[in-house]
Amino acid sequence: MKKPIVVVTRRLPEAVETRMTELFDVRLSLDDHRMTSAELVAAVEQADVLVPTVTDNVDSVLIAAAGPNLKLIANFGAGTDHIDVMAAQHHGITVTNTPNVLTEDTAEMTLALILAIPRRLVEGERLIRAGKWDGWGPTAMLGSRVSGKRLGIVGMGRIGQAVAERARGFGMSIHYHNRRRLHPSVEDALEATYWDDLDQMLPRMDVISLHCPHTPATHHLLSAERLKRIRPTSYIVNTARGEVIDEDALADLLSTHKIAGAALDVFQNEPAVNPKFLALDNVILAPHLGSATVEARTEMGQKVLINIKTFVDGHRPPDRVLPI
Ligand code: 8YV
């Protein structure tokens, strides 16, 4: 039987590429560059299966350009806001993703940022590298204690809950806003307080951490108006998607110290970073590292393999994504 043509847009961990080569007629990315629109069109014209990542814009125009054989888009990543899932469905193309296997890694990165921003860790590192540190001082570089503070989690899915579990270990109290309230047993285990109204929660939190997907409903969820509700002593951490925050409004509030600080792992126009952030000392900028561990990326690749294999064998793939 003819093996399906699988086009992978970026380099994946070696073990994953090796297994893909054994199973499929795979076209790998040799130099890991971001595919141009023309290259993506050529890919969807020839592929039976496309394996994109967050760096590929799989919009309705690209999906309309797909050849008759493209039946599966097996995304390498959990978030699928770069894929027009509705357009794919209209064209009879199934979309899958890689949930669960990056939960712990993303939560760990979030905790690193929750600790680093109030304690001015990266700012201090920059000070030393700039040769400007003139030694310890009783009032030098004072930050804020994390223990005993209120953490407001926006989006209490798998990653939000994993962050809550870890933050409790650092003595934070857990508050959350979510479309649906958690089961009482989960709430009890996390000693989590539910806020139905995000506008009510925001002014009462010391650290706000975002864990919702980017959808039309969450685009600029932290709008200029909402950001103004946050206390000047509070911090924002974003390991979800840049589009969930109005970046210009956030930068303005940070520069005037109406918000104490922000740690951002994701940006609206990656890899471009809003230049306003670059000039600010009270911001940590990380290059989308949430799931960047050998373990997570390998397991994400294994999920992609399983999704493709089950699909081409005629079964329902385990991680199907439906339009919102
Ligand atoms: C991935 C992510 O690395 O899975 C996601 O949604 O944001 C990242 O952690 C990226 O999506 C890979 O495509």
Side-chain angles (χ1 to χ4, degrees), residues 52-55 75-79 98 102 106 240-241 288 290-291 297 300:
T53 76
V54 69
T55 56
N75 186 53
F76 180 87
T98 63
L102 40 75
T106 308
R241 284 290 181 269
H288 202 144
S291 69
R297 293 290 162 83
M300 287 160 71

Side-chain angles (χ1 to χ4, degrees), residues 68-321:
N69 296 334
L70 186 71
K71 289 285 173 269
L72 175 66
I73 297 173
N75 186 53
F76 180 87
T80 50
D81 53 322
H82 56 293
I83 301 172
D84 191 329
V85 180
M86 184 73 91
Q89 192 178 52
H90 281 143
H91 283 76
I93 300 168
T94 299
V95 177
T96 58
N97 68 343
T98 63
N100 298 322
V101 291
L102 40 75
T103 303
E104 271 72 38
D105 309 77
T106 308
E108 286 172 2
M109 177 56 66
T110 306
L111 261 295
L113 297 175
I114 289 176
L115 296 172
I117 186 67
R119 299 304 306 272
R120 304 175 66 179
L121 184 61
V122 177
E123 195 187 335
E125 214 258 1
R126 279 195 298 263
L127 188 80
I128 293 181
R129 284 186 191 273
K132 290 184 181 159
W133 184 44
D134 49 18
W136 183 90
T139 57
M141 286 220 66
L142 303 187
S144 301
R145 180 183 292 162
V146 172
S147 181
K149 297 290 166 61
R150 292 175 156 211
L151 174 63
I153 296 176
V154 181
M156 198 61 151
R158 282 179 290 256
I159 298 174
Q161 290 177 44
V163 168
E165 277 169 26
R166 285 157 179 77
R168 273 163 51 78
F170 284 97
M172 301 189 87
S173 65
I174 306 303
H175 299 255
Y176 75 99
H177 169 77
N178 199 39
R179 273 172 310 171
R180 273 173 291 115
R181 190 168 178 169
L182 295 179
H183 190 274
S185 62
V186 183
E187 252 184 26
D188 287 351
L190 296 171
E191 293 183 83
T193 304
Y194 177 62
W195 295 79
D196 177 42
D197 186 348
L198 180 59
D199 290 334
Q200 294 289 319
M201 181 174 92
L202 290 176
R204 293 171 175 85
M205 297 300 122
D206 301 299
V207 180
I208 293 139
S209 191
L210 302 181
H211 299 289
C212 55
H214 172 225
T215 66
T218 63
H219 189 86
H220 285 194
L221 183 69
L222 292 199
S223 59
E225 277 315 303
R226 287 221 169 93
L227 288 167
K228 281 186 201 143
R229 294 176 164 270
I230 293 169
R231 284 196 293 225
T233 48
S234 299
Y235 299 87
I236 295 183
V237 173
N238 190 6
T239 53
R241 284 290 181 269
E243 291 88 339
V244 179
I245 305 184
D246 181 335
E247 291 184 340
D248 276 321
L250 175 63
D252 291 344
L253 292 163
L254 287 163
S255 69
T256 51
H257 297 278
K258 298 205 172 79
I259 293 177
L264 309 172
D265 185 47
V266 285
F267 305 92
Q268 176 143 9
N269 299 310
E270 296 178 15
V273 173
N274 190 322
K276 289 182 179 176
F277 290 136
L278 299 175
L280 299 176
D281 262 338
N282 53 350
V283 182
I284 294 177
L285 303 169
H288 202 144
L289 293 176
S291 69
T293 66
V294 174
E295 292 88 344
R297 293 290 162 83
T298 305
E299 288 170 27
M300 287 160 71
Q302 279 156 358
K303 277 210 160 244
V304 170
L305 278 163
I306 292 166
N307 282 319
I308 301 175
K309 188 78 178 87
T310 28
F311 183 83
V312 299
D313 287 348
H315 307 292
R316 175 192 273 271
D319 305 307
R320 185 150 181 222
V321 178

